[in-house]
Amino acid sequence: MLLTIEIILILLAIYPVLGALKWSCGLLFYLILSKRNHEFPKQNHDLDEVFAVIPAYNEEKTLLTTIQSVKNQGLDNDHIMVIDDNSNDETVKIATMAGVRVYTKNENKGKADSLNYAIKLIDELADPNKTAYLLSIDADTILQANGVQRLLDYFYGHNYGGVTANMDVANRENALAKSQVVEFSSIVGIIKRAQVAMTGTMYAYSGATTMYAMAALKEVGGFREDRATEDISIAFDHSLNGYDAGFAPDVKFYMNVPTTLRDLYRQRKRWAKGGIEVLFTNLLTSFKRPKIIMMLFDQFLTIAWSFSWLIMSIYLAYRLLTEFLSGDFYALGGTIGISLIVMTLQIVVGTVQIFIALLVDDNGSKMDYFMFAPLYLLFYWIVNPLTIITQFVPALLSVYAGMGKGTWQSPERSVD
């Protein structure tokens, strides 16, 4: 019995290795077998059909730069909306001086509520004879030139509920931020490419910059306001209603990432809670679209791995201590040896995945950040399972006890 438990724990411990191999194969599938399905010719689009929405809560340091990057897309000022979520800094003043539409809410209710507020406004403003799109862009984000036009290209001929752009890091000021350059190229970039190639949809849009078809948003009732992550929940809602999801690796946006451990942990707690919420929200309805079962199963294994990581860590510490105190150094050497083999396997496969991802993303321009791969792997193996473990019960309470909420707290901003 004990041997069986150990084998199960070891298999769960190496799950990230199997996951890395799976996503690497998915990337190969994207690049070779189905690349023809992910080529989108450039079109000339009417930008009057696009409304850029910038939800903002205490974003005085970065908001003006974001607004300017949206203006540079060619959108008129009356097609750019800042939805102020009851900020207590200079956010409203800055947005007003920029000359765009500004709407201030009386209460802080979160990003999803702000986006739903914008959906109602766009319904009144949009030409009913045109296909309307909502570009959701965070207030600390810079979209590359011609990004709006290129995102619209992806909708042509496809049943996309949304198309998400390719994220990159703007504030590369310390090692923690630079390690996230590695993350968004390796983990996020590979997974999104693999998912759209193999399933036609994805686990999550990028909340920082995604263009949504207004028709798809209205069909699912907008964004869920009682969930921690609106970008994950809306992706599954679209999938269950028959919509595909698009990933635009050639449309880059630059965002601010956490530069302190406190802000990083706070961000990842929200992501972990949102992922668990999606799993249990869609557990019984995923049969409507079998393709998303794979993503839900992957999420289930991630949660199981996180708890097995904790159990294995405690069990390993117990074995090392008891074997050392009992003087059984032969057994101690064996325990250390097995642990090192598993750790080495994880590090080697993870490093190879990161190398491939950096080589593929943006034509290898981020290869200089490969040296930060060990730091990223360290945070990934420790922070991610801890956040899943700590947020498991709160996520269940959100889904089954109606205790979910989507309010936010912006991290410290370092960009002026």
Side-chain angles (χ1 to χ4, degrees), residues 10-203:
I10 290 174
L11 289 175
L12 285 172
I14 65 172
Y15 162 69
V17 175
L18 302 177
L21 293 174
K22 176 184 66 178
W23 298 127
S24 297
C25 291
L27 174 65
L28 184 65
F29 185 75
Y30 177 89
L31 294 175
I32 299 177
L33 299 180
S34 66
K35 186 176 180 181
R36 63 183 180 275
N37 297 324
H38 301 281
E39 293 178 345
F40 303 90
K42 296 182 179 180
Q43 313 282 330
N44 290 319
H45 301 283
D46 181 4
L47 293 184
D48 285 343
E49 59 195 3
V50 178
F51 291 83
V53 179
I54 309 173
Y57 177 63
N58 291 345
E59 297 288 3
E60 62 182 5
K61 290 186 177 180
T62 59
L63 179 59
L64 186 59
T65 305
T66 299
I67 292 174
Q68 190 58 55
S69 81
V70 176
K71 284 187 174 184
N72 290 343
Q73 305 296 321
L75 294 177
D76 294 335
N77 284 357
D78 60 353
H79 277 239
I80 303 173
M81 303 177 177
V82 173
I83 311 297
D84 171 59
D85 203 19
N86 197 29
S87 300
N88 52 33
D89 64 355
E90 299 296 313
T91 293
V92 173
K93 180 180 178 181
I94 291 170
T96 302
M97 291 177 62
V100 299
R101 292 179 181 268
V102 183
Y103 302 89
T104 301
K105 298 192 299 183
N106 295 326
E107 184 181 353
N108 179 272
K109 292 185 177 181
K111 182 178 176 182
D113 180 83
S114 297
L115 291 171
N116 287 335
Y117 186 85
I119 290 173
K120 296 176 183 177
L121 294 171
I122 295 171
D123 244 354
E124 298 175 359
L125 297 170
D127 186 339
N129 297 316
K130 295 181 179 180
T131 302
Y133 298 91
L134 185 157
L135 173 67
S136 172
I137 180 167
D138 282 356
D140 63 340
T141 300
I142 301 171
L143 180 60
Q144 74 169 50
N146 205 40
V148 168
Q149 284 278 2
R150 192 65 181 129
L151 287 172
L152 286 170
D153 289 339
Y154 278 73
F155 284 94
Y156 183 77
H158 291 83
N159 186 37
Y160 285 151
V163 176
T164 195
N166 193 6
M167 59 188 70
D168 205 341
V169 176
N171 56 329
R172 307 176 186 183
E173 61 193 60
N174 62 15
L176 185 60
K178 290 175 181 176
S179 72
Q180 290 171 80
V181 175
V182 173
E183 174 181 25
F184 292 126
S185 292
S186 61
I187 301 301
V188 178
I190 278 186
I191 289 177
K192 288 191 184 302
R193 287 176 173 88
Q195 285 176 343
V196 298
M198 294 187 294
T199 69
T201 186
M202 64 179 69
Y203 172 76

Side-chain angles (χ1 to χ4, degrees), residues 63-363:
L63 179 59
L64 186 59
T65 305
T66 299
I67 292 174
Q68 190 58 55
S69 81
V70 176
K71 284 187 174 184
N72 290 343
Q73 305 296 321
L75 294 177
D76 294 335
N77 284 357
D78 60 353
H79 277 239
I80 303 173
M81 303 177 177
V82 173
I83 311 297
D84 171 59
D85 203 19
N86 197 29
S87 300
N88 52 33
D89 64 355
E90 299 296 313
T91 293
V92 173
K93 180 180 178 181
I94 291 170
T96 302
M97 291 177 62
V100 299
R101 292 179 181 268
V102 183
Y103 302 89
T104 301
K105 298 192 299 183
N106 295 326
E107 184 181 353
N108 179 272
K109 292 185 177 181
K111 182 178 176 182
D113 180 83
S114 297
L115 291 171
N116 287 335
Y117 186 85
I119 290 173
K120 296 176 183 177
L121 294 171
I122 295 171
D123 244 354
E124 298 175 359
L125 297 170
D127 186 339
N129 297 316
K130 295 181 179 180
T131 302
Y133 298 91
L134 185 157
L135 173 67
S136 172
I137 180 167
D138 282 356
D140 63 340
T141 300
I142 301 171
L143 180 60
Q144 74 169 50
N146 205 40
V148 168
Q149 284 278 2
R150 192 65 181 129
L151 287 172
L152 286 170
D153 289 339
Y154 278 73
F155 284 94
Y156 183 77
H158 291 83
N159 186 37
Y160 285 151
V163 176
T164 195
N166 193 6
M167 59 188 70
D168 205 341
V169 176
N171 56 329
R172 307 176 186 183
E173 61 193 60
N174 62 15
L176 185 60
K178 290 175 181 176
S179 72
Q180 290 171 80
V181 175
V182 173
E183 174 181 25
F184 292 126
S185 292
S186 61
I187 301 301
V188 178
I190 278 186
I191 289 177
K192 288 191 184 302
R193 287 176 173 88
Q195 285 176 343
V196 298
M198 294 187 294
T199 69
T201 186
M202 64 179 69
Y203 172 76
Y205 294 118
S206 169
T209 302
T210 293
M211 183 177 288
Y212 299 98
M214 277 287 294
L217 289 177
K218 291 191 291 184
E219 183 174 322
V220 300
F223 296 85
R224 293 177 183 258
E225 298 178 11
D226 58 350
R227 295 293 182 260
T229 49
E230 89 294 334
D231 47 359
I232 301 178
S233 60
I234 193 67
F236 275 85
D237 288 343
H238 278 168
S239 293
L240 289 171
N241 279 269
Y243 287 98
D244 292 331
F247 176 56
D250 58 328
V251 182
K252 294 180 65 176
F253 67 89
Y254 299 85
M255 62 183 181
N256 276 260
V257 297
T259 56
T260 66
L261 287 175
R262 184 195 67 173
D263 284 338
L264 178 69
Y265 185 71
R266 181 188 298 163
Q267 179 196 64
R268 299 312 161 94
K269 278 203 312 180
R270 186 172 62 84
W271 291 3
K273 185 180 180 185
I276 299 169
E277 288 172 345
V278 160
L279 172 64
F280 287 98
T281 299
N282 298 285
L283 201 57
L284 299 178
T285 57
S286 59
F287 65 89
K288 292 181 180 179
R289 195 171 189 197
K291 288 183 177 181
I292 72 170
I293 293 177
M294 183 189 77
M295 293 186 290
L296 289 176
F297 184 62
D298 185 67
Q299 177 66 8
F300 169 79
L301 289 177
T302 300
I303 296 171
W305 165 71
S306 298
F307 281 96
S308 72
W309 171 85
L310 177 63
I311 295 171
M312 199 67 176
S313 298
I314 295 172
Y315 177 65
L316 177 62
Y318 169 77
R319 281 197 59 166
L320 291 173
L321 181 62
T322 55
E323 288 168 356
F324 176 78
L325 293 177
S326 66
D328 190 352
F329 296 108
Y330 178 79
L332 179 64
T335 301
I336 294 174
I338 292 175
S339 301
L340 289 176
I341 290 173
V342 173
M343 290 175 60
T344 301
L345 181 62
Q346 291 177 340
I347 291 172
V348 169
V349 174
T351 302
V352 169
Q353 179 186 350
I354 289 173
F355 180 82
I356 294 172
L358 290 174
L359 194 64
V360 170
D361 195 53
D362 204 20
N363 298 316

